[in-house]
Amino acid sequence: MRRYLVAGFMGISFSVMAQQNRIDMMLWDKNVGADQAKAIVEKADFNRDPAITVYKAAKPNGKAIIMCPGGGYGWEATGHEGHDIAHWLNNQGVTYVVLKYRLPQGNHEIPLSDAEQAIRLVREHAEEWGVDPSKVGIMGASAGGHLASTVATHYTSAATRPDFQILFYPVITMDPSYTHAGSRTNLLGENPSADLQNRFSNELQVTPDTPKAFLILSSDDDIVPVANSINYYTSLVSNKVPVAMHIYPNGGHGYGYSEWFTYKDQWKSELEKWLREEI
């Protein structure tokens, strides 16, 4: 009986600690908004409230990661590609932030605007959350990987430039020959212009100022062709941007932090090492 009571108290203690270390914050003030984004906010369909959930590390090492869950720009996989990752990263000393971004519904400005605002908020609260403003990264999976790589290649100011990017089996291109069709339609609409298509084909937008990158994917991904990651990797290398890419022989697409992925321990170990040595 005593054992169960101790276990119960420990469970309550961990729960209280988790609540104390979690902060939920609205991304925008709907009535005012940031000046540079006000027009976007006013014309957007608020089909959901954009927000961030911050998981503060008990012993922060100054690093922060903002996660963009996947879902083809039509929904957001906030579990295994979002909140489920918090405890592990907090144990590494990383302040972890899950972004709930607005779905674009053909308006390509909206997700990027939300992701940039998340970076601003993390830097504005850096001292409070134990974050070094020069160690704020963006992470994304699948279509969330497209959003993360968009922030990395389309940031509009120094204040919104991420210091590093982490991409899980990302959508990178909008080239119809090897993009993820649903993500392309949801972001750009049914018939985007060639200019818009090229603009959001992020392998074409890499420059020497693009932040360093870490990529994870599987060879048998039949949802998002591996050429998305490989061509992005090639562009990063061509521009002398530091990059690590880990390709596993199987696992398909969409595993995130799921236990069933055979190589979960491997990618966790590799990412821990990269964060420790490169950031």
Side-chain angles (χ1 to χ4, degrees):
M1 180 67 176
R2 182 179 178 183
R3 181 187 306 169
Y4 295 130
L5 287 173
V6 170
F9 286 133
M10 288 178 65
I12 292 171
S13 176
F14 290 143
S15 176
V16 169
M17 185 179 298
Q19 290 300 317
Q20 288 176 338
N21 289 339
R22 172 174 172 158
I23 300 169
D24 294 294
M25 178 180 292
M26 300 302 295
L27 201 61
W28 298 102
D29 183 332
K30 290 184 185 180
N31 297 318
V32 181
D35 290 342
Q36 65 206 79
K38 187 174 181 182
I40 296 173
V41 172
E42 286 176 344
K43 71 182 179 182
D45 174 12
F46 277 94
N47 58 338
R48 59 185 299 139
D49 291 326
I52 55 173
T53 299
V54 181
Y55 294 92
K56 298 191 296 179
K59 297 179 179 179
N61 60 16
K63 299 167 189 174
I65 293 175
I66 300 167
M67 179 61 173
C68 307
Y73 282 126
W75 64 290
E76 291 169 42
T78 56
H80 67 292
E81 292 177 355
H83 299 280
D84 293 353
I85 308 174
H87 181 69
W88 169 63
L89 282 175
N90 280 173
N91 281 345
Q92 311 307 312
V94 177
T95 297
Y96 179 65
V97 181
V98 180
L99 170 63
K100 183 174 76 171
Y101 54 91
R102 286 168 294 159
L103 302 176
Q105 298 179 329
N107 185 339
H108 58 270
E109 296 176 287
I110 287 175
L112 176 58
S113 175
D114 286 352
E116 286 200 290
Q117 177 67 355
I119 293 174
R120 289 190 196 97
L121 287 177
V122 171
R123 288 190 168 129
E124 286 172 9
H125 292 271
E127 183 175 356
E128 175 187 349
W129 297 343
V131 173
D132 181 338
S134 68
K135 295 183 179 180
V136 178
I138 194 81
M139 181 161 73
S142 194
H146 184 269
L147 177 54
S149 66
T150 301
V151 179
T153 54
H154 292 70
Y155 58 88
T156 58
S157 69
T160 61
R161 179 190 183 274
D163 297 298
F164 57 94
Q165 53 181 315
I166 301 168
L167 310 177
F168 288 69
Y169 40 83
V171 178
I172 293 292
T173 194
M174 291 290 111
D175 183 332
S177 68
Y178 69 106
T179 189
H180 177 254
S183 297
R184 180 177 186 268
T185 299
N186 287 331
L187 181 66
L188 304 183
E190 291 288 347
N191 297 296
S193 66
D195 179 68
L196 191 61
Q197 175 182 294
N198 289 338
R199 179 181 167 195
F200 284 92
S201 292
N202 293 332
E203 76 280 9
L204 304 178
Q205 307 305 325
V206 175
T207 73
D209 292 324
T210 299
K212 62 179 61 179
F214 182 97
L215 287 81
I216 299 168
L217 65 150
S218 295
S219 296
D220 63 347
D221 191 335
D222 59 358
I223 303 297
V224 176
V226 298
N228 280 259
S229 292
I230 292 170
N231 290 346
Y232 192 56
Y233 171 86
T234 301
S235 293
L236 290 164
V237 170
S238 296
N239 283 273
K240 301 188 183 330
V241 176
V243 55
M245 183 165 66
H246 298 273
I247 306 176
Y248 300 104
N250 54 62
H253 185 83
Y255 34 85
Y257 202 68
S258 300
E259 292 297 332
W260 57 261
F261 182 53
T262 303
Y263 301 97
K264 181 178 181 179
D265 288 343
Q266 283 88 334
W267 76 251
K268 286 172 60 181
S269 177
E270 292 291 353
L271 183 52
E272 285 177 16
K273 182 179 180 181
W274 186 79
L275 287 170
R276 184 171 59 249
E277 297 181 356
E278 296 293 328
I279 306 303

